[in-house]
Amino acid sequence: QVQLVESGGGLFHNGESLTLSCAASGASVEGNLMNWYRQGPADNQRKLIAQIGSEGDTVCRDQVKGRCKVLRDTEKNAVILEINNLDHEDTGVYVCNLVVAKKHDYWGQGTQVTVSS
């Protein structure tokens, strides 16, 4: 059984940085695609903001471009999302999604991030 657990959320202030972790059990984060989604208070659905591909290629979408880093922690079997220079638009629930063998989707429960001025 594959499980994903996010951690690192909480209350932040403008200009600060956050580090979120998505720890996997039951499947390896190496060689598989991991996506990070965010759903803000005004959003009616999750939006993809960052990902790390099966070969380690990373993408940070427009919402976090230039402020984002995605990396694997192979020792902990986790994927790390770092976002710096936070502002209120970064507020939301951050959810990780592991796609195993390009066909099996697994989701974490999400972690709340609140950015306050």
Side-chain angles (χ1 to χ4, degrees):
Q1 184 179 1
V2 178
Q3 290 189 318
L4 304 178
V5 178
E6 299 98 337
S7 61
L11 176 63
F12 300 85
H13 295 93
N14 285 349
E16 290 183 340
S17 301
L18 67 76
T19 299
L20 302 180
S21 172
C22 177
S25 59
S28 176
V29 299
E30 278 195 277
N32 291 309
L33 170 67
M34 180 75 86
N35 297 310
W36 279 99
Y37 287 81
R38 179 174 74 196
Q39 185 164 4
D43 296 330
N44 56 12
Q45 61 183 12
R46 297 167 180 165
K47 295 179 181 178
L48 179 65
I49 59 169
Q51 62 186 183
I52 182 165
S54 57
E55 297 185 9
D57 46 310
T58 61
V59 174
C60 291
R61 291 291 186 96
D62 286 348
Q63 306 96 318
V64 294
K65 204 164 192 175
R67 305 185 291 126
C68 156
K69 184 186 292 185
V70 192
L71 59 151
R72 286 195 181 98
D73 182 341
T74 54
E75 280 191 18
K76 296 181 180 178
N77 198 35
V79 170
I80 309 300
L81 173 66
E82 299 177 352
I83 302 175
N84 57 43
N85 197 21
L86 294 169
D87 66 23
H88 69 280
E89 292 185 348
D90 294 310
T91 293
V93 178
Y94 287 70
V95 183
C96 59
N97 160 236
L98 181 66
V99 183
V100 176
K102 299 184 181 179
K103 56 184 177 181
H104 302 294
D105 264 301
Y106 301 95
W107 295 85
Q109 292 296 310
T111 185
Q112 174 70 45
V113 170
T114 302
V115 183
S116 169
S117 57

